[in-house]
Amino acid sequence: MADEVILLDYWPSMFGMGTTKIALAEKGVAYEYKETDPRAKTSLLIETNPIHKKIPVLIHKGKQICEPLIQLEYIDEVWSDTYPILPSDPYQKAQARFWGDFIDKKFYDPSWKVWGTRGEEQVTAKKELLEHFKTLETELGDKTYYGGDVFGFVDIALMGYYSWFKAIEKFGEFSIEAEFPKLTQWTKRCLERESVVMSIADSDKIVEYAYVLRRKLGAE
């Protein structure tokens, strides 16, 4: 029931929309959404995530679960009678966790620096991000999804960044479609899923939001 599950998130956050929202949608879990600007450090955010004070925060039956990939596994285990997000095979599960961790640790820093900085810092970040895209393009290979034929853990982790792809391309002056065709086809397959479409933010609105942040960061 919606009153049992609450999600604190912020609309442009690639973490909430890319992991938690998609996972909840795949499982068919109803929840109460509370828009939470992480910069405001509301009393509810501090109370539910006192260590990091970051979104998203998933609250289930009064207990908070923090960190997107941890939330993803929690959702998969609690609502295990529906669509499986992680594979049951131990090796495949380990691989999924590895690549989820790769995305979680490698993508955020260079991606925001591509749209949020300029000069040498932006150039360095762009080079790093392109290498990460290349790595993921290679790992995907000819598979339908990162786990094979089934949309799952790694796909959900990476699709959170999709809404930011347009801003990254615009300010980084490159084309993901031109440089990473397999990744592009993968995104198109993911966008055929209702869980993805209903969870991610509008790319044009993200570009507008990035412009605002660039001005605040002195990158314009």
Side-chain angles (χ1 to χ4, degrees), residues 58-160:
L58 180 68
I59 305 170
H60 181 219
K61 295 183 178 180
K63 298 178 180 180
Q64 65 265 31
I65 303 94
C66 303
E67 297 298 310
L69 294 184
I70 294 173
Q71 293 169 1
L72 190 50
E73 292 205 40
Y74 179 86
I75 291 167
D76 197 34
E77 291 182 14
V78 171
W79 291 278
S80 59
D81 57 337
T82 57
Y83 188 91
I85 293 172
L86 274 165
S88 58
D89 178 79
Y91 175 75
Q92 292 178 355
K93 184 179 293 185
Q95 289 298 104
R97 285 172 171 155
F98 174 86
W99 288 108
D101 185 67
F102 174 85
I103 294 164
D104 186 51
K105 291 180 178 176
K106 297 290 188 180
F107 260 72
Y108 179 74
D109 194 59
S111 66
W112 85 258
K113 286 180 179 178
V114 167
W115 59 257
T117 65
R118 59 184 177 181
E120 187 60 35
E121 188 174 14
Q122 185 189 46
V123 171
T124 301
K126 176 182 174 180
K127 181 179 179 181
E128 181 181 348
L129 186 60
L130 289 174
E131 282 299 315
H132 296 333
F133 273 127
K134 183 179 179 181
T135 297
L136 288 174
E137 173 100 340
T138 301
E139 171 59 22
L140 179 63
D142 295 322
K143 299 192 294 286
T144 303
Y145 298 108
Y146 278 94
D149 295 328
V150 181
F151 178 80
F153 190 83
V154 183
D155 307 292
I156 294 173
L158 184 55
M159 273 308 289

Side-chain angles (χ1 to χ4, degrees), residues 26-37:
E26 284 288 347
K27 296 287 188 174
V29 178
Y31 61 93
E32 179 184 353
Y33 177 81
K34 292 190 176 183
E35 181 75 0
T36 307
D37 186 339

